[in-house]
Amino acid sequence: MKKYLSISFYKILFALSLIGNNASAQTDTTSRLIRLNQIGFYPGAIKKAIVLSDRGSDFFIQTLQKQIVFTGKLKSSLKPNFAGHIVQFADFTTFGKPGRYVLYVPSAGYSYPFEVKASVHKAVAVAAIKAYYFMRSGTHLPEKYAGKWHRAEGHPDTVVLIHPSAESEGRKAGSIISSPRGWYDAGDYNKYIVNSGITTSTLLSLFEDFPAYMKTVKLNIPESSNKIPDVLDEVLWNLRWMLTMQDPADGGVYHKLTNAAFDKFEMPDKDTSPRYVVQKGTAATLDFAAVMAQASRIFKQYPNELPGLADSCINAAQKAWNWAGKNPLVAYRQDEMNKKFEPKITTGGYGDNNFTDEFIWAASELAVSTGEVDYLKNINLLPDDRMPVPTWSQVRLLGYYTLIKNDITGKTVPVLPEIRKRLINTADDMINGVDSNAYQTVMTKSARHFGWGSTSEAANEGVLLIQAYKLSGDKKYLDYALANLDYLLGRNGTGYSFVTGYGTKTPMHPHHRPSATDGIVDPIPGLLVGGPNPGMQDGVKLPSKVPDEAYIDDEHAYAANEIAINWNAPLAYLANALEALQHKLASQTTR
Ligand SMILES: [Ca+2]
Ligand SMILES: [Ca+2]
C-alpha cells in the first residue's frame, strides 16, 4: 500500500503517455506531460514550457538530431494547477538561436517539435484570417484558393423569406428579399448579425490598429490581386451581407438570416431548406450601426476602389442608430417569438437583454467616424466600474478601444481620461500575480475563465493587453499577450493547440459541418475551437471536469469543440498584432 502511494500522479500520467492514445500524431517518443506552444517562439521573447512533473530536474533543448543546445533547471510552480497538482516549468528565454528543436526532460520525455525564429506565428496568423474565406456563404471555393478543401457554392441567399416576426408595412410575411454573401457563423450555416458585429469589428480593428503590417498580409483569396488589403477584402464579404440585413424603410436590422432549424451534418450545397430573416432587434441594430460607422472611416481610404461605400456605410449606421433610438428595448426572445409565429425558429438565439453596452459601442463609433460628439450626449459611458472582456453580448470595451485610440473627442468627452485609466488598471489586474499560476498565463489565472468558448476569452484578454500596450508603450503587456497565445497553441491543461492544422496535437473533429462531411481527413485549417468548458451543455461526457482540462475532440461536443467566427477574430487579432509588434518582444530584462 505504501509503495502504491509513492507512485506519483505524474508517473502514472507518464506511463499512460507511453501507452499512447488515439490523439493525432502521438508517437512513442513525444510526451503528453510537456505543454508548450507547438508552433514556437520569437528569438528574443520569453519562452516557457510547463512540465507535469513532481520535482525539478534538468531540462534540455535539443535539435531534432538530439544534439543538446541548451540546458536549464526545472522550477516548481508557486501554485498548483486546477487539478490540485504542483507542476514544473522550463524557462529558456535566454536561448534564442533560430532552428527547430524539442524540449527533453528525462522523467517526462520529449516535447512536440517547435521552432525558434522571427515571424514564427506568421502562418497561423494568416490562417486565422483565411479561415473566414472557408466560411463564405454564397460562393464556391475553387481549389486554387481552398486547396483540398475546395467545395461547391452553398446558400446563395438570393431568395430569403420575410419571417412573420419580421413583417413590416413594405415587407409582408412570405415576401422575398435577397441577402447574399456573409460568413457562416460557426458549425452551422446560419448568419447572425449580433455575432457578426463583434467579429467584423475585431477584424476591422486589426487593420485599423496595424495598417502598415496588415497591408502586407496576403491570404490567397480571389481578391488578392486587387488594390485592397486582403483582410479588408475578407471583411467586405460579410459587410456587404450585413448591409442587406437593414430594412431600408425604417433602418431597423433583422436579428439573423437562418434556416428554421439546424440542418443535419451535410455540405453547404446540400442544405436547400428555406431561409428566413427574423425579427428586428435593438442589439442587432446597434451592433450593425457600430460596425458600419467603423467601416465607413476605414473604407474612406479606398475611394477609387470602393466608390460610395464609405458613404453607404455611414448612412446605414445613422439610420440604424435612429431606429434604435426609437426602439431602445427590443430584445430578441426566441421562445416568446415562437409562441406567436410559424415556422418556429430553433437555431442560435444570441439573445441579449441589456443594451447599455451596445449603445456605448455604437455611439462611440458614430462619434469618432462623424466627428459629432453629440452621439455621446445621452450615453452614460461609465454605467458602472466594470471593464468586461468583450463577448458578443457585452461590447462596451469595443467602444472604449475606439474612443481611446482615436482621441479626437478628448476635450469634449470628460470621462476619457478615466476610461484610459481603467483600461490600464484592468490590464494591471490581469497580469498581477500571473507568474505564480501553474501555466503562468492570464487565461489560467482563474477557473471562471473556462466557460463556453473559453479560448476566445484567452484571445480577447490578449487583445485587451495589446490595447494597454498601445496606450502605455509598456512591453510587459505584450509579454502576457504572447503568453495567452502560447496558451492557445499548446501551453495549457489539455495539451492541444486549439487551432486546427497548426501544431502537432490539434483538433481533428471540430463541430463544423464542412470539416465533418467533406470527405477530407484534415479539418478546415485555421479554426479556433471553443476549448475547455466543464458545462457539458451538449451532453457529451468529457474525460475531465477540471476547468482547464474539460475538453474533448469530438464533433458532437458543440460546447467544447465547435468553431465560431467571433472566436476566430480575436485569435486573428492577437496573432497578427504580435507578428506586427514582434520586434518589441525582444527582451533584455529578466523577470
Ligand atoms: Ca486584396
Ligand atoms: Ca449587451
Side-chain angles (χ1 to χ4, degrees):
M1 192 62 185
K2 195 160 183 280
K3 184 162 184 264
Y4 174 76
L5 284 174
S6 75
I7 297 172
S8 80
F9 172 78
Y10 292 118
K11 279 187 179 142
I12 294 168
L13 261 188
F14 182 48
L16 288 173
S17 80
L18 293 181
I19 292 165
N21 63 3
N22 59 1
S24 63
Q26 189 83 35
T27 72
D28 286 342
T29 56
T30 53
S31 170
R32 285 191 285 154
L33 303 184
I34 301 175
R35 306 288 167 79
L36 48 58
N37 181 328
Q38 295 172 27
I39 303 296
F41 304 88
Y42 297 114
I46 291 171
K47 303 173 195 69
K48 285 180 183 172
I50 308 303
V51 183
L52 305 188
S53 171
D54 295 295
R55 64 184 69 84
S57 70
D58 286 343
F59 72 88
F60 306 92
I61 306 293
Q62 302 184 354
T63 64
L64 299 188
Q65 293 74 39
K66 304 287 157 64
Q67 184 200 349
I68 295 171
V69 291
F70 183 88
T71 305
K73 282 245 183 285
L74 293 181
K75 291 179 186 152
S76 289
S77 62
L78 293 176
K79 290 184 185 166
N81 62 15
F82 291 111
H85 305 288
I86 291 292
V87 305
Q88 307 292 311
F89 68 96
D91 185 339
F92 50 106
T93 301
T94 55
F95 177 73
K97 189 181 173 198
R100 285 176 63 77
Y101 306 100
V102 290
L103 187 147
Y104 175 63
V105 175
S107 64
Y110 291 95
S111 73
Y112 302 118
F114 61 87
E115 215 167 349
V116 173
K117 68 171 183 180
S119 305
V120 69
H121 297 115
K122 173 89 180 179
V124 68
V126 168
I129 311 176
K130 176 71 178 270
Y132 290 89
Y133 173 72
F134 290 107
M135 301 291 273
R136 286 186 185 188
S137 159
T139 185
H140 87 290
L141 308 185
E143 191 170 2
K144 183 177 177 196
Y145 307 114
K148 63 184 173 183
W149 298 280
H150 62 90
R151 63 163 169 82
E153 174 181 354
H155 307 91
D157 288 339
T158 49
V159 178
V160 176
L161 298 161
I162 301 285
H163 187 260
S165 65
E167 184 173 63
S168 58
E169 205 169 307
R171 290 180 163 184
K172 295 293 175 199
S175 60
I176 288 166
I177 65 168
S178 180
S179 189
R181 304 192 187 197
W183 300 311
Y184 298 130
D185 184 64
D188 62 326
Y189 295 136
N190 303 301
K191 305 188 289 197
Y192 307 78
I193 285 290
V194 166
N195 209 37
S196 270
I198 184 171
T199 305
T200 309
S201 172
T202 300
L203 294 175
L204 284 170
S205 292
L206 172 59
F207 177 80
E208 196 171 23
D209 295 352
F210 303 97
Y213 177 74
M214 289 313 299
K215 283 174 185 173
T216 71
V217 171
K218 288 285 176 195
L219 301 177
N220 184 31
I221 55 178
E223 301 83 11
S224 285
S225 55
N226 69 13
K227 290 183 176 155
I228 299 165
D230 282 5
V231 64
L232 295 183
D233 284 315
E234 196 48 59
V235 163
L236 274 171
W237 192 265
N238 202 57
L239 194 82
R240 290 192 190 283
W241 164 68
M242 288 181 77
L243 281 167
T244 70
M245 289 290 281
Q246 183 175 45
D247 183 347
D250 64 6
V253 177
Y254 304 111
H255 189 72
K256 58 178 170 176
L257 190 163
T258 184
N259 296 0
F262 286 123
D263 56 297
K264 61 178 188 280
F265 266 50
E266 60 192 356
M267 288 298 282
D269 59 305
K270 299 295 187 294
D271 171 27
T272 54
S273 50
R275 305 272 274 178
Y276 300 88
V277 290
V278 300
Q279 187 199 306
K280 296 165 194 167
T282 306
T285 303
L286 286 170
D287 288 346
F288 174 100
V291 168
M292 291 304 159
Q294 185 183 14
S296 74
R297 67 175 179 265
I298 292 168
F299 288 111
K300 204 187 274 182
Q301 301 167 36
Y302 298 92
N304 299 323
E305 293 81 4
L306 299 164
L309 180 67
D311 288 343
S312 299
C313 288
I314 200 67
N315 291 338
Q318 286 164 328
K319 281 184 83 168
W321 174 259
N322 292 339
W323 187 92
K326 291 179 203 143
N327 302 274
L329 293 168
V330 184
Y332 182 74
R333 296 194 178 99
Q334 194 154 276
D335 291 344
E336 286 180 26
M337 186 181 84
N338 284 337
K339 288 177 192 156
K340 291 189 216 152
F341 302 110
E342 293 287 340
K344 294 192 190 335
I345 304 291
T346 56
T347 52
Y350 289 111
D352 182 6
N353 296 321
N354 186 331
F355 311 125
T356 308
D357 53 307
E358 282 80 9
F359 272 105
I360 289 173
W361 182 29
S364 301
E365 299 293 354
L366 275 156
V368 166
S369 286
T370 63
E372 295 170 25
V373 289
D374 273 3
Y375 282 104
L376 295 165
K377 201 168 61 181
N378 296 318
I379 301 293
N380 181 0
L381 282 169
L382 297 173
D384 56 48
D385 58 4
R386 293 168 60 236
M387 290 289 282
V389 171
T391 65
W392 60 262
S393 61
Q394 178 45 265
V395 291
R396 186 198 303 184
L397 260 63
L398 303 183
Y400 291 174
Y401 294 162
T402 286
L403 291 177
I404 288 170
K405 68 195 176 198
N406 283 283
D407 195 25
I408 61 151
T409 48
K411 286 192 195 113
T412 42
V413 181
V415 297
L416 198 58
E418 175 64 19
I419 291 174
R420 295 174 160 205
K421 196 172 91 190
R422 287 188 186 190
L423 182 75
I424 296 298
N425 288 347
T426 302
D428 286 341
D429 286 346
M430 273 186 171
I431 67 176
N432 183 29
V434 162
D435 289 348
S436 64
N437 79 59
Y439 286 87
Q440 303 185 24
T441 72
V442 171
M443 179 61 185
T444 47
K445 209 173 138 177
S446 168
R448 288 196 311 272
H449 294 167
F450 295 90
W452 201 324
S454 63
T455 54
S456 71
E457 166 81 18
N460 272 310
E461 288 166 356
V463 175
L464 190 153
L465 291 169
I466 286 169
Q467 299 302 320
Y469 166 76
K470 285 174 68 72
L471 179 57
S472 68
D474 192 330
K475 174 187 170 293
K476 68 185 174 189
Y477 301 119
L478 276 190
D479 290 339
Y480 288 105
L482 179 63
N484 263 20
L485 185 62
D486 288 342
Y487 167 87
L488 291 170
L489 296 174
R491 183 170 132 196
N492 61 57
T494 71
Y496 277 88
S497 162
F498 293 118
V499 184
T500 55
Y502 288 84
T504 305
K505 184 177 182 179
T506 61
M508 293 298 287
H509 309 286
H511 180 91
H512 179 226
R513 281 165 174 74
S515 292
T517 57
D518 62 4
I520 307 294
V521 171
D522 293 326
I524 305 288
L527 296 170
L528 180 66
V529 298
N533 167 24
M536 296 198 287
Q537 293 89 341
D538 47 34
V540 177
K541 189 167 167 27
L542 297 174
S544 168
K545 286 188 82 172
V546 173
D548 66 330
E549 300 176 21
Y551 172 72
I552 189 166
D553 181 20
D554 182 325
E555 73 184 35
H556 304 290
Y558 57 81
N561 210 35
E562 191 167 358
I563 59 90
I565 55 172
N566 63 313
W567 302 340
N568 246 75
L571 168 69
Y573 187 106
L574 178 61
N576 283 283
L578 289 169
E579 279 292 301
L581 295 167
Q582 57 180 301
H583 56 288
K584 305 281 187 191
L585 283 157
S587 174
Q588 302 306 318
T589 59
T590 53
R591 259 209 292 283

